[in-house]
Amino acid sequence: MEAPPTPGEAEADMTLPPFLTRIQNAAGPLVGGLGESELGDRLRDCALLLEIDADTAADPAQRAAFLLATNLGARFYPRLSLDAPDELAETAAALARTINAGCEFGPPRGRANTLSWRGGEPTATRVTVSAEGWNLSIDGAEPAPVGANPLAAMAAATLGIGELFRALFADLLPHGRREPSPFAIDLLTLADVSSAPGVPEPALPDSVDLGTVHLAGCGAIGQAFVAALRELPVTGTLVAVDHDDLDEGNLQRYVLSASADVNTAKPALIARALAGHGLTVEQVEGRWGEDERTGPGQQTVVSALDSKQGRIELQAGLPKEIFNAWTQPEDIGVSRHQAFGSDPCLACLGWPKHARPSESQMIAAALGEHELRVLLYLGHDTPVGQPLAPALLQPTGRLALPGDAAAWAQRSLLTDLIERYQLPPGQFEHLGALPVRALYRDAVCAGMLIEHAEDRRGADVSVPLAHQSALAGILLATWLLVDRVPELRALRPSATQARYDVLRGGVQVWPRSRSREERCLCSDSDFLDGYQRRWRGPADVAG
C-alpha cells in the first residue's frame, strides 16, 4: 500500500493531464457535450484505484493486464492509487509518469473508481476482473486465477476500465453504470459463458509463426494491436506503415507512446515496442500504397486505419487477406476478409450508399467556411496561415464570390477560425504553415477544433477513448493469432465480424453477420478477375 498524503496534499489541486483537451474531444460528445472545465472538475474529484495480490501479480498475463490498466488510467485520471506488490507498483508508477509527468499517486482523496483482481463484492464503482484460459469475466466474485491467456487478461482489464468510465459518467450516459454488470465471455468463440464455464479449449502454442504481416496504420488501434502481440509467443516480420509523427494529442490513447515521444515517427514506436521480441519490424514512413513495400498484392494486411476511404483504397490493392478493426461512437469492432468475392470485403464496411460530398465540401462544412474559399486554398496550396492572393479571388462555374470575399485577401483562414470559435491562439497558430487538407486532418478529424465554442457541441467526431481503441487492438491481435493456429481457427466464430458497445457494457452478442454491398469492389468483374489471377492462378480462374 502507498503512504498517506503529506500534510496539505489533500487540499492541493490535482494536476490534470496536459492533453485534457483531446480527452474532452473524445469524452465530451459521448456524455452530453460536457465541456472541458466540467470534465476537469469531475476528474479532480476521482482517483483510479488498481488492486492486485502478490500471487495474481506473479502471473505474466495478469501482470501485463495490470500494467495495461495503469497505462490507460494514466491517460485519463490525474491520480492513481496502486495497491500492488512493491516491484509492480513501482513499475506501474514509472510507466504512468512517462505518460503524464504530473500524475499523482497515493490513497484516493475523494471518489475512488476501483478495478480489482482480488474478487469480492463488485459495486457501481468497484469492478472486478478475471481471466482463465480464453475466458474472461467482469464483476465476478472470485479472484483472478493464475495461468491466464494474455489476450483474455488484457481484454478483461480494458473492459474493466470501460466499466469505470460508465460509472464516472453514469448520470450523463444513456447506459451509465449504476450497479454491477456481470458477464463472462470466451474470447476465442465469443460465446457468452456467464451461466456455465466454457468447454476446455486449446492453450496457446509455445510459438506461432505469423509470417510477414503488413500493419497499415500505427495509431491507437495499431499500437494496441502491437501491445497485445508483445505478450504473445509469436515470430515473423511486421511491416509497420504510417506517414505521421506522434503529436501530443495522440497521448490520450496511444498505449505505446510516452510524452517524450512527441514528434517521433509512429513506425519507430512500433519497432521500439518489439525490440528483442520474436517479431522483426520493418519501418515504412509513408502512406499506404506509396511504394512497392505497400503496393498492390500484399499477402496479409492488418488494417488499423481511421477512415472509410483509406480502407476502400487498401482493399482496392487486392491483398490476399485483411484483418481489420475500428472504433466509432456506437461500438468497436473487428473483422476478417479472406474470401474476396464470397464474403463481404473490407470496402463493403464503408461503401458509400449515396453520392459523397467533394473534398472541398467536406472541409468547408467541417470548418464552417465558404466552399469557394476552401477550394481556392486547396487548388493553390496556400498555407492556412496566409491570406489568399487577390488575383485568386475568382468565381467558378458552380460557385460565385460572396460579398465578403475581399476579406479573404486580407485575413488568413486560420485567423478567422481562431476568432470565430474563440480558440486559444497559442494552441493553433503553429498550424499556420499547413495546407487546408492537413488542417482538416490534424485539427478536425483528430479533434482539435471540437468543443471550443458552444455552437460546436455535438459535432460529428471520431476521436475514440483510450479503452475503446485498446479493446479493438486486442481483438485484432486475437483474430490474427487464432487464424494462424489450426486448432484455434476451428473454434472461432463463423461470422466474419464482431462488435461490442463499450458504452453500454454488460452481456451483448458479439459476432455479427452482414451481407456484401451490391456495387462494391468485390462485385466488380475486373477486381474479381484480378484477385483470382493473383491468388488462385490462371488454372483456377479457367476452371
Side-chain angles (χ1 to χ4, degrees):
M1 262 305 211
E2 294 158 323
T6 57
E9 182 186 7
E11 291 78 26
D13 189 24
M14 286 190 185
T15 303
L16 294 170
F19 36 86
L20 180 66
T21 297
R22 194 63 62 89
I23 295 174
Q24 193 277 332
N25 296 159
L30 303 176
V31 290
L34 192 71
E36 186 173 325
S37 61
E38 299 165 294
L39 173 63
D41 290 341
R42 191 166 295 217
L43 290 177
R44 285 187 186 94
D45 293 334
C46 184
L48 174 64
L49 169 59
L50 303 174
E51 54 181 32
I52 190 170
D53 60 78
D55 288 343
T56 306
D59 183 305
Q62 303 290 12
R63 176 187 175 88
F66 185 90
L67 290 174
L68 177 59
T70 302
N71 189 320
L72 297 172
R75 298 176 196 276
F76 191 77
Y77 295 88
R79 186 175 182 87
L80 301 181
S81 298
L82 305 172
D83 187 355
D86 289 346
E87 183 277 332
L88 179 56
E90 291 170 3
T91 300
L95 170 64
R97 289 190 182 98
T98 68
I99 297 165
N100 176 13
C103 187
E104 298 181 7
F105 302 92
R109 297 198 297 255
R111 169 180 174 146
N113 268 3
T114 302
L115 185 63
S116 178
W117 282 258
R118 294 176 177 169
E121 190 68 26
T123 67
T125 59
R126 184 178 190 271
V127 177
T128 60
V129 293
S130 179
E132 184 173 15
W134 288 95
N135 292 349
L136 65 91
S137 68
I138 303 295
D139 286 339
E142 296 300 318
V146 297
N149 180 313
L151 294 165
M154 295 173 76
T158 305
L159 287 164
I161 292 292
E163 287 295 297
L164 293 177
F165 179 88
R166 293 177 56 233
L168 183 59
F169 298 102
D171 57 323
L172 300 175
L173 288 168
H175 304 285
R177 178 184 168 98
R178 296 178 174 83
E179 60 185 5
S181 301
F183 74 94
I185 191 166
D186 183 327
L187 198 64
L188 174 57
T189 66
L190 295 183
D192 178 10
V193 291
S194 301
S195 57
V199 176
E201 295 163 335
L204 285 177
D206 293 334
S207 180
V208 179
D209 183 7
L210 300 180
T212 297
V213 176
H214 285 70
L215 172 61
C218 301
I221 294 176
Q223 289 201 8
F225 165 77
V226 170
L229 289 185
R230 186 172 56 182
E231 304 301 325
L232 300 173
V234 293
T235 60
T237 299
L238 184 69
V239 184
V241 184
D242 202 301
H243 66 285
D244 270 340
D245 294 342
L246 184 82
D247 66 49
E248 186 178 65
N250 298 147
L251 294 176
Q252 181 263 129
R253 63 192 190 280
Y254 281 34
V255 296
L256 297 179
S257 302
S259 58
D261 297 326
V262 172
N263 298 324
T264 301
K266 292 178 183 178
L269 300 174
I270 301 297
R272 183 185 67 186
L274 293 173
H277 193 275
L279 279 173
T280 300
V281 178
E282 295 182 9
Q283 302 176 48
V284 179
E285 296 178 16
R287 297 179 186 276
W288 182 265
E290 284 187 338
D291 62 27
E292 68 278 359
R293 294 172 295 177
T294 59
Q298 305 303 329
Q299 180 150 336
T300 301
V301 179
V302 169
S303 169
L305 301 172
D306 58 5
S307 73
K308 294 179 181 179
Q309 184 63 32
R311 298 183 194 112
I312 291 172
E313 292 171 359
L314 189 156
Q315 181 64 81
L318 298 179
K320 183 176 184 181
E321 58 181 359
I322 301 174
F323 296 86
N324 170 63
W326 71 90
T327 60
Q328 57 187 6
E330 295 81 16
D331 54 32
I332 63 96
V334 62
S335 60
R336 63 177 185 268
H337 309 274
Q338 299 174 286
F340 187 81
S342 298
D343 294 335
C345 74
L346 180 60
C348 285
L349 274 59
W351 198 254
K353 295 180 172 59
H354 48 75
R356 293 172 59 89
S358 67
E359 183 179 30
S360 60
Q361 289 172 327
M362 286 193 298
I363 296 176
L367 300 179
E369 270 295 336
H370 194 285
E371 186 191 350
L372 179 57
R373 188 181 194 185
V374 171
L375 190 63
L376 293 174
Y377 270 95
L378 279 171
H380 298 279
D381 288 328
T382 302
V384 295
Q386 297 179 14
L388 291 166
L392 299 180
L393 303 185
Q394 301 292 331
T396 69
R398 181 172 62 88
L399 297 170
L401 280 172
D404 61 351
W408 299 350
Q410 301 168 6
R411 296 169 53 84
S412 74
L413 174 61
L414 184 60
T415 296
D416 283 349
L417 291 175
I418 288 173
E419 291 190 4
R420 180 181 308 136
Y421 298 119
Q422 299 180 343
L423 305 174
Q427 295 184 28
F428 293 91
E429 286 175 343
H430 72 281
L431 302 176
L434 295 178
V436 71
R437 184 179 288 109
L439 178 75
Y440 173 72
R441 181 196 68 212
D442 294 345
V444 178
C445 294
M448 291 176 65
L449 285 177
I450 300 166
E451 303 294 334
H452 285 283
E454 290 295 324
D455 61 352
R456 289 188 64 78
R457 287 194 173 198
D460 182 19
V461 298
S462 56
V463 184
L465 294 159
H467 60 271
Q468 292 174 309
S469 300
L471 182 57
I474 293 166
L475 290 175
L476 188 56
T478 301
W479 278 36
L480 175 63
L481 175 81
V482 166
D483 183 77
R484 295 302 191 259
V485 182
E487 296 82 2
L488 300 177
R489 187 167 61 241
L491 297 174
R492 69 184 181 183
S494 58
T496 59
Q497 183 180 134
R499 294 184 169 193
Y500 185 77
D501 185 350
V502 182
L503 294 176
R504 176 183 291 270
V507 178
Q508 298 178 34
V509 176
W510 294 53
R512 304 292 179 89
S513 298
R514 64 165 296 139
S515 57
R516 291 165 55 200
E517 293 294 329
E518 291 182 2
R519 294 182 294 276
C520 184
L521 303 178
C522 56
S523 295
D524 183 281
S525 59
D526 290 334
F527 279 96
L528 286 169
D529 181 66
Y531 183 86
Q532 290 171 343
R533 290 187 181 279
R534 176 171 294 156
W535 298 116
R536 300 176 188 171
D540 292 328
V541 176

